[in-house]
């Protein structure tokens, strides 16, 4: 049963967390491009798709800790320090994604869409989104920082899961 639970846990992490980390990383530069070219429907469409990937796969990502807890319980390692640290970092990554990354993506995307609905844009270097008073290209830098933090937390959890410092269950 341990092997099955571990396999599902790892597959869930690859299938759910992987797309979120990639799409979230691609979002800030795509949003900057959409801000730079307000009339570019493809740029806005890219931003929409990346945001949707992040939202959907973040929801699917709930399976990762669920199967992780089941695996840890069966292996008898719920009290191990490396696992507790991994759980805390996973919870922190979830908070960063839910409270900092996804809402900022939504705000940037909505600002772009409001401007299109109002008929603002037309290209050129001087073109700007009307929603830029609320959100704009500068906000993509802060989003990139939070996305980087999210990715760093997941990378750290992955390393802890592989190395398992102090584990007595074999490495």
């Amino acid at each position: 049963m341990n092997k099955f639970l571990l396999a599902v846990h790892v597959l869930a992490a690859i299938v759910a967390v992987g797309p979120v980390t990639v799409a979230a990383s691609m979002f800030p530069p795509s949003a900057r491009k959409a801000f730079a070219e307000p009339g570019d429907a493809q740029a806005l469409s890219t931003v929409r798709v990346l945001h949707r990937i992040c939202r959907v796969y973040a929801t699917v990502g709930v399976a990762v800790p669920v199967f992780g807890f089941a695996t840890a319980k069966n292996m008898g390692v719920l009290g191990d320090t490396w696992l507790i640290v991994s759980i805390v970092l996973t919870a922190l990554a979830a908070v960063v994604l839910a409270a900092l990354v996804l809402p900022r993506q939504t705000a940037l995307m909505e600002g772009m869409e409001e401007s299109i609905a109002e008929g603002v844009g037309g290209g050129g270097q001087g073109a700007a989104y009307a929603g830029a008073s609320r959100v704009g290209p500068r906000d993509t830098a802060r989003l990139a920082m939070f996305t980087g933090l999210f990715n760093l937390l997941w990378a750290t959890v992955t390393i802890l899961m592989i190395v398992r410092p102090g584990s007595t269950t074999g490495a």
Side-chain angles (χ1 to χ4, degrees):
M1 186 60 139
N2 285 349
K3 289 181 182 183
F4 171 76
L5 290 171
L6 183 59
V8 173
H9 172 64
V10 170
L11 285 171
I14 292 168
V15 171
V17 179
V20 174
T21 59
V22 172
S25 296
M26 291 173 65
F27 189 96
S30 297
R32 279 191 291 275
K33 181 179 182 201
F35 273 113
E37 302 170 13
D40 187 351
Q42 184 175 359
L44 181 59
S45 178
T46 299
V47 169
R48 285 181 183 140
V49 167
L50 291 172
H51 180 60
R52 184 176 177 132
I53 289 169
C54 290
R55 282 184 302 122
V56 169
Y57 282 93
T59 304
V60 173
V62 171
V64 176
V66 168
F67 283 100
F69 273 113
T71 304
K73 183 179 177 195
N74 275 359
M75 292 175 70
V77 295
L78 278 174
D80 287 8
T81 304
W82 66 270
L83 185 64
I84 293 168
V85 171
S86 294
I87 291 168
V88 169
L89 293 177
T90 298
L92 187 56
V95 168
V96 168
L97 182 64
L100 301 173
V101 174
L102 293 176
R104 281 176 171 74
Q105 286 182 352
T106 300
L108 285 166
M109 194 175 63
E110 287 175 352
M112 292 174 204
E113 290 172 342
E114 286 172 11
S115 297
I116 288 173
E118 295 169 2
V120 175
Q125 198 169 8
Y129 282 96
S133 61
R134 257 191 13 193
V135 295
R138 289 184 181 186
D139 295 302
T140 62
R142 180 164 283 157
L143 174 59
M145 177 187 69
F146 292 134
T147 300
L149 176 60
F150 170 76
N151 291 343
L152 180 62
L153 289 167
W154 272 116
T156 305
V157 169
T158 302
I159 291 167
L160 284 171
M161 291 290 158
I162 293 168
V163 175
R164 302 183 320 193
S167 174
T168 59
T169 59

